[in-house]
């Protein structure tokens, strides 16, 4: 048996050893076991039980991703000479990987319109410039973008600053991520996050993995999936691409699984991209037809069923089959699994939300759960698999254009002068910059340029902004291609380096405490310190808030506990170390937090199938195993067997029908842009669909969005494929 062929397993262990050798085993071990929330996905490892433990206290839990992120943060500083050596034009030849590998940012940097070089500046100069600019900026011509790595404390404080400063243009990477889940769940159930806790996964008997690749992106979920199979439960994967790690995975912390591998998918449904709404409509139709609905639950705890039922019954099987790419027998087979299940959990990720009908599909998943009463009880429910480690917390903290009414009212009561103007979502801010309507932008982490659709247009739009401030830990493509007339980069501490403790929220609504405390570099500031300093300089001593005092995390937590409903326990967390679930989020009873107390059925039409020419395909943009969002750590995608990123993965029948061959050099084009020198690779992807790597592919993604959630269709672009002249 070749143990190294297994996905996960020994190769993850080897990688750990390699990183240990690079950064030092003792340092690595100390970081891994330190009491800090893992920096990668929102499964939420670490916290007060120590790193490598999940929120149920289970140990050891570890994944290659956290080691990757950790080792990146442990890099040496970028030397001063770097910025004298490389001009912006030269840095444009650096890949995302080259930029990340340059090292940690440890001094503020300034790039002026008239210069081609980033220039190191002092913190004082950086603050002076930001203060001067903000004092002279019309608040409505400024926006604040947040990624999901920052703490609740930093998130809360910056959104508060933005509002007091006078703008509602406050948003986070969620608009490119799970916004459709939030909107869909909120309209149907009155709450926008997971309805289950981690323990529910230990008792469910059927688990749907829809449009997600957790083997690569949430590896620790795989332990739960393996256990579901082990206790006789079923895992159904719905994905246009056969992701090997979802077929079989080798879990490093489980010896048997490590050696022999574990089966994950009981059934693998290879759907057409964007076909999920049709598939779930088909499942609903079948369940209703069979009379396998939970009528008591529907009658007592839901509304809108009759209209939903009538509309679903009208759908033809032909339409369902055509749009989903799945035949009726297969749909009925999944339906039978569902009917037999007592406790089903539906989980999903970007394969659902990155479509113009993303929100509609989320609502349809909820409908399906409601039909059999799979929400509002233990061991069953809905689980949007969140991305960034604290993206959910950032949302909870009010990092949204429109504050929840309760938060708004509480702030108003405190006397906060809240702006009345309509706040923009992320893409709306970029579009507004395109029209020259933005003078100032502040980005707390992330890579707004890299994550944004239509890279060329984004670059141009950002260049219209007078001053952009990036608060970052390392260099990324945004610092090079997403510059304003003046660009300032402020280098900050990472979570485990913070001087004071911070908190994060997992995808299961669990609030964790991170101690921080690891010292790596001089001259860095904490995110909160930066925001507090800007607050005190711009808003002054006379302000309602003492911004200098708000550099203290305890003071911020006290404010959060007064302002954000459900966060009362955060006030004492620094002292008690008591991590907690946000009350009211996990739905284990049949009263729903909607206006009527009932869950709502929403019927949504299946989108019309597009007629494609024979060289046109639906493009799915995905992450590789070796990257975290726009940060590429390794060019290799171990799990998909690719060793470079300029590839297009295609079904072998499609390769044949275009008369192409493996490694042929092709041009990928559409109305947004073109990418040259892309190599064709055969892969088990649904015919008609092709796969490419994000963020490089963003020059082909249009700025068209899901009208309900404003999320771009990152997995729904049509592209044409033609041979390159050079290869013919
Ligand atoms: N290693 C690593 N981990 C990460 C990240 C990372 O970049 N690297 N990013 C983090 C973040 S912010 C997020 S949001 C998550 C993202 O986690 P995922 O959502 O798992 O990531 P993606 O690579 O975008 O692709 C999701 C999967 O959806 C499938 N898919 C595409 N289109 C469709 C469709 O129409 N229907 C269905 N059913 N499936 C489809 C793709 O084939 C792919 O397997 O991961 C988080 N964790
Ligand atoms: N085509 C396509 N586009 C996509 C997607 C896709 O699947 N396809 N996915 C979308 C999704 S799901 C998301 S979430 C977005 C990602 O969007 P973002 O969250 O904006 O991007 P990241 O790449 O995660 O940001 C990485 C940068 O964050 C900074 N950073 C890291 N740690 C810290 C920290 O502790 N503090 C601070 N201040 N900065 C830190 C580093 O400088 C690093 O370069 O991209 C979206 N764009
Ligand atoms: Mo994300």
């Amino acid at each position: 048996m070749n143990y190294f062929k297994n996905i996960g397993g020994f190769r993850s262990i080897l990688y750990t050893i390699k990183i240990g050798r690079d950064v030092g085993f003792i340092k690595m071990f100390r970081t891994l076991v330190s009491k800090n929330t893992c920096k990668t996905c929102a499964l939420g490892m670490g916290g007060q039980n120590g790193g490598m433990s999940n929120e149920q206290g289970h140990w050891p839990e570890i994944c290659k991703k956290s080691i990757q992120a950790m080792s990146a943060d442990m890099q040496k500083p970028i030397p001063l000479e770097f910025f004298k050596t490389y001009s912006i034009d030269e840095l444009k030849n650096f890949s995302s990987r080259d930029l990340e590998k340059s090292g940690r940012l440890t001094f503020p940097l300034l790039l002026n319109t008239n210069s081609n070089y980033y220039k190191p500046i002092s913190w004082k100069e950086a603050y002076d410039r930001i203060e001067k600019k903000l004092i002279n900026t019309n608040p409505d011509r400024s926006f604040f973008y947040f990624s999901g790595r920052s703490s609740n404390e930093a998130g809360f404080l910056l959104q508060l600053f933005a509002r007091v400063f006078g703008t509602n243009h406050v948003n986070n990477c969620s608009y490119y991520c799970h916004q459709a889940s939030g909107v869909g769940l909120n309209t149907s159930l009155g709450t926008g996050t997971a309805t289950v806790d981690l323990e529910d996964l230990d008792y469910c008997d059927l688990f749907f993995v829809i449009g997600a690749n957790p083997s690569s992106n949430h590896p620790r979920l795989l332990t739960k999936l393996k256990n579901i199979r082990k206790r006789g439960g079923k895992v159904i994967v719905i994905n246009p691409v056969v992701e090997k790690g979802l077929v079989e995975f080798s879990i490093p912390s489980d010896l048997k699984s490590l050696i022999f591998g574990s089966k994950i998918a009981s059934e693998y449904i290879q759907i057409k991209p964007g076909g999920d709404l049709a598939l779930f409509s088909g499942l609903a139709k079948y369940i209703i037809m069979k009379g396998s609905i939970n009528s008591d639950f529907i009658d007592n705890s839901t509304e809108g069923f009759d209209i939903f039922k009538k509309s679903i019954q009208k759908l033809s099987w032909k339409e369902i089959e055509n749009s989903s790419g799945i035949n009726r027998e297969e749909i009925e087979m999944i339906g039978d699994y569902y009917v037999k299940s007592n406790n089903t959990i539906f989980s999903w990720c970007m394969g659902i939300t990155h479509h113009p009908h993303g929100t509609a599909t989320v609502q349809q998943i909820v409908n399906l759960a409601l039909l059999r009463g799979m929400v509002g009880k233990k061991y069953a429910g809905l689980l949007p698999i969140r991305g960034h480690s604290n993206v959910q917390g950032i949302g909870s903290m009010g990092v949204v254009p429109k504050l929840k009414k309760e938060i708004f009212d509480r702030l108003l009561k405190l006397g906060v002068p809240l702006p009345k103007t309509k706040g923009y979502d992320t893409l709306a801010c970029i579009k507004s910059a395109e029209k020259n309507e933005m003078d100032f932008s502040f980005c707390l982490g992330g890579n707004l340029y890299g994550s944004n659709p239509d890279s060329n247009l984004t670059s141009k739009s950002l260049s219209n902004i007078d001053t952009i401030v990036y608060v970052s830990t390392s260099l990324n493509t945004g610092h090079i291609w997403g510059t304003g007339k003046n660009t300032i980069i402020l280098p900050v501490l990472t979570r485990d380096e913070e001087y004071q403790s911070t908190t994060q929220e997992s995808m299961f609504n669990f609030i964790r405490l991170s101690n921080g405390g690891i010292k790596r570099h001089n001259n860095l500031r904490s995110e909160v310190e930066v925001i507090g300093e800007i607050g005190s300089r711009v808003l002054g001593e006379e302000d309602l808030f003492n911004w200098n005092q708000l550099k203290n995390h305890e003071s911020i937590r006290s404010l959060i506990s007064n302002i954000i409903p459900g966060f009362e326990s955060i006030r004492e967390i620094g002292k008690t170390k008591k991590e907690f679930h946000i009350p009211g989020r996990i739905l284990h009873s049949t009263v729903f937090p909607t206006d009527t107390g009932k869950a709502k059925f929403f019927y949504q039409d299946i989108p019309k199938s597009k007629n494609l020419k024979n060289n046109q395909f639906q493009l799915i943009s995905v992450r590789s195993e070796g990257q975290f969002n726009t940060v590429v750590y390794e060019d290799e995608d171990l799990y998909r067997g690719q060793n470079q990123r300029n590839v297009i993965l295609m079904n072998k029948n499609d390769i044949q029908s275009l008369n192409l061959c493996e490694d042929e050099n092709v041009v990928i084009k559409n109305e947004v842009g073109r990418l040259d020198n892309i190599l064709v690779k055969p892969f088990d992807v649904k015919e008609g669909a092709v796969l490419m790597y994000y963020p490089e592919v963003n020059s082909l993604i249009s700025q068209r969005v899901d009208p309900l959630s404003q999320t771009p269709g990152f997995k729904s672009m049509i592209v044409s494929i033609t041979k390159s002249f050079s290869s013919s």
Side-chain angles (χ1 to χ4, degrees), residues 446-640:
N447 180 351
L448 180 54
Y449 159 80
S451 60
N452 214 70
D454 199 339
S455 315
N456 290 337
L457 185 57
T458 302
S459 195
K460 262 193 237 142
S461 308
L462 289 168
S463 72
N464 289 338
I465 301 174
D466 182 84
T467 301
I468 303 182
V469 179
Y470 288 116
V471 178
S472 310
T473 53
S474 53
L475 274 185
N476 64 41
T477 52
H479 301 131
I480 313 303
W481 296 89
T483 53
K485 294 185 180 120
N486 300 284
T487 307
I488 296 173
I489 306 178
L490 303 177
V492 286
L493 299 164
T494 58
R495 177 176 305 165
D496 52 1
E497 297 162 352
E498 286 276 354
Y499 306 131
Q500 307 174 62
S501 63
T502 59
T503 59
Q504 291 79 28
E505 176 182 332
S506 81
M507 67 169 93
F508 299 99
N509 306 300
F510 188 68
I511 300 296
R512 309 209 83 126
L513 182 68
S514 293
N515 282 5
I518 299 178
K519 177 145 178 49
R520 299 203 181 100
H521 305 289
N522 296 320
N523 199 35
L524 299 182
R525 301 283 189 272
S526 89
E527 293 177 340
V528 160
E529 195 184 340
V530 169
I531 303 160
E533 183 65 26
I534 294 172
S536 84
R537 281 166 171 256
V538 176
L539 302 171
E541 305 285 301
E542 304 299 302
D543 193 58
L544 177 68
F545 298 103
N546 180 336
W547 292 90
N548 271 321
Q549 199 190 328
L550 283 176
K551 291 177 186 166
N552 181 319
H553 292 193
E554 296 286 350
S555 311
I556 303 173
R557 287 200 281 258
S558 164
L559 207 51
I560 294 173
S561 77
N562 288 336
I563 303 292
I564 311 286
F567 280 74
E568 293 73 19
S569 315
I570 210 168
R571 182 193 297 270
E572 298 292 327
I573 199 172
K575 290 186 203 90
T576 61
K577 316 278 179 213
K578 258 204 192 142
E579 301 178 323
F580 62 94
H581 274 112
I582 302 159
R585 294 261 186 99
I586 290 158
L587 300 179
H588 282 164
S589 82
T590 50
V591 181
F592 295 96
T594 55
D595 49 354
T596 54
K598 295 189 176 190
K600 297 172 202 255
F601 279 94
F602 277 97
Y603 175 78
Q604 296 283 1
D605 281 325
I606 299 173
K608 293 266 163 294
S609 296
K610 296 165 193 141
N611 285 329
L612 300 185
K613 295 190 194 123
N614 69 344
N615 74 336
Q616 282 186 321
F617 295 85
Q618 181 158 356
L619 171 67
I620 306 175
S621 63
V622 287
R623 316 159 148 70
S624 80
E625 193 271 340
Q627 75 185 82
F628 197 92
N629 293 343
T630 69
V631 180
V632 177
Y633 295 109
E634 296 156 1
D635 285 344
E636 188 184 17
D637 186 358
L638 206 60
Y639 293 180
R640 297 197 186 99

Side-chain angles (χ1 to χ4, degrees), residues 394-437:
I394 290 290
S396 296
M397 292 300 109
V399 180
V400 286
K402 188 172 190 304
L403 285 170
K404 282 202 176 118
K405 189 172 179 317
E406 264 175 303
I407 303 179
F408 184 90
D409 289 347
R410 289 184 191 190
L411 283 171
L412 214 56
K413 215 168 145 201
L414 259 188
V416 181
L418 290 168
K420 305 265 179 326
T421 43
K422 183 178 181 294
Y424 292 165
D425 59 77
T426 311
L427 197 56
C429 289
I430 301 284
K431 288 189 167 167
S432 160
E434 185 193 342
K435 287 183 271 168
N436 246 316
E437 288 169 5

Side-chain angles (χ1 to χ4, degrees), residues 173-174 176-178 349-350 354 386-388 391 623 629 694:
C173 62
S174 172
Y176 294 161
C177 190
H178 263 298
C349 206
M350 297 301 106
H354 283 170
R386 298 277 164 181
H388 268 301
V391 62
R623 316 159 148 70
N629 293 343
Y694 139 77

Side-chain angles (χ1 to χ4, degrees), residues 40-41 65 68 173 177-178 210-214 216-219 238-241 243 246 268 271-276 349-352 354-355 385-388 618 620-630 640 691 694 715:
T40 51
C41 76
K65 299 300 112 203
Q68 230 159 26
C173 62
C177 190
H178 263 298
I210 312 162
N213 180 20
S216 176
N217 301 324
H218 302 87
I238 300 171
N239 200 313
V241 178
E243 303 283 13
L246 296 181
Y268 208 113
I271 195 167
K272 262 191 194 174
D276 305 78
C349 206
M350 297 301 106
I352 292 301
H354 283 170
H355 287 288
I385 311 175
R386 298 277 164 181
H388 268 301
Q618 181 158 356
I620 306 175
S621 63
V622 287
R623 316 159 148 70
S624 80
E625 193 271 340
Q627 75 185 82
F628 197 92
N629 293 343
T630 69
R640 297 197 186 99
L691 205 68
Y694 139 77
K715 294 179 178 32

